[in-house]
Amino acid sequence: MYKLLLIVAILPALAFGLTPFRPCRDGGPIPASVNIEGCTLLPCRVVSGSPLIAHATGIRSPVATPTVKAHIVARLLGLDVGFRIPEDLADACAVGITGASCPLSVGQEFDYTLNYAMTLPLTGITAQVEVGLTAADGSLITCIEIDAQIEA
C-alpha cells in the first residue's frame, strides 16, 4: 500500500520534470509546483559552489505585505548547520519574485526563482534543506523542504 502511494506521489513529478518536496516542519503554504534544475527525485544532488536554480510557481500570498524575505536553512539530523542566504538574495522583492511586484496583496499569486551558487560547509552528507518566503510581519508566505545530497 505504501509503495503504491509513493509511486502515485512521485509519478507526476517524473512525468513533468518537477521536483518532489515536503511542506516545512513549521507548516506554511506551499507552491503549486517546484522545479529544481537537474532534480526529479530526492535527494537532490547539490554540488557545493555550483549554481542551484529552483523555480516555484503558483505561490499565493496569505497576507498583504510590503516586503518579502527569502530564507534557507540546512539541517543535518535535525540540527541547523548555520547556513544562511546572503543578504543580496534575501530581499525576494528585489531578486526572485516574478509575475507580481511588492507590495503583495492577500491572495496575490506569483512565482519565485532562486539562482544561487551555494558554498556549503559540509560535503558528502544528505541534509534537509528548507527554503521559504516570509512576510514583513513574520508570517510564512510559502515554505518547502527537500533532501539534498551535498557533494564537493
Side-chain angles (χ1 to χ4, degrees):
M1 177 68 175
Y2 291 113
K3 288 181 185 178
L4 178 63
L5 290 175
L6 182 62
I7 290 169
V8 168
I10 291 177
L11 194 56
L14 291 174
F16 297 108
L18 301 177
T19 305
F21 62 88
R22 300 181 293 276
C24 287
R25 63 175 69 188
D26 294 332
I30 60 172
S33 68
V34 174
N35 178 19
I36 299 172
E37 290 187 9
C39 180
T40 55
L41 292 173
L42 296 181
C44 291
R45 183 177 165 264
V46 175
V47 178
S48 183
S50 294
L52 173 69
I53 302 170
H55 307 281
T57 60
I59 301 167
R60 193 171 300 278
S61 182
V63 296
T65 183
T67 61
V68 178
K69 185 170 182 169
H71 72 270
I72 297 176
V73 178
R75 293 183 182 89
L76 180 61
L77 301 173
L79 300 173
D80 186 339
V81 298
F83 177 80
R84 295 295 177 261
I85 193 168
E87 282 301 314
D88 61 328
L89 293 178
D91 182 356
C93 293
V95 180
I97 288 180
T98 58
S101 60
C102 295
L104 296 176
S105 57
V106 175
Q108 188 169 4
E109 188 171 309
F110 63 94
D111 301 333
Y112 175 74
T113 299
L114 174 68
N115 185 345
Y116 176 49
M118 293 192 278
T119 302
L120 301 165
L122 302 171
T123 58
I125 61 158
T126 299
Q128 296 74 46
V129 179
E130 173 183 307
V131 181
L133 299 175
T134 306
D137 68 1
S139 60
L140 281 174
I141 293 173
T142 192
C143 192
I144 66 157
E145 286 184 359
I146 62 160
D147 296 322
Q149 174 66 41
I150 314 299
E151 300 178 3

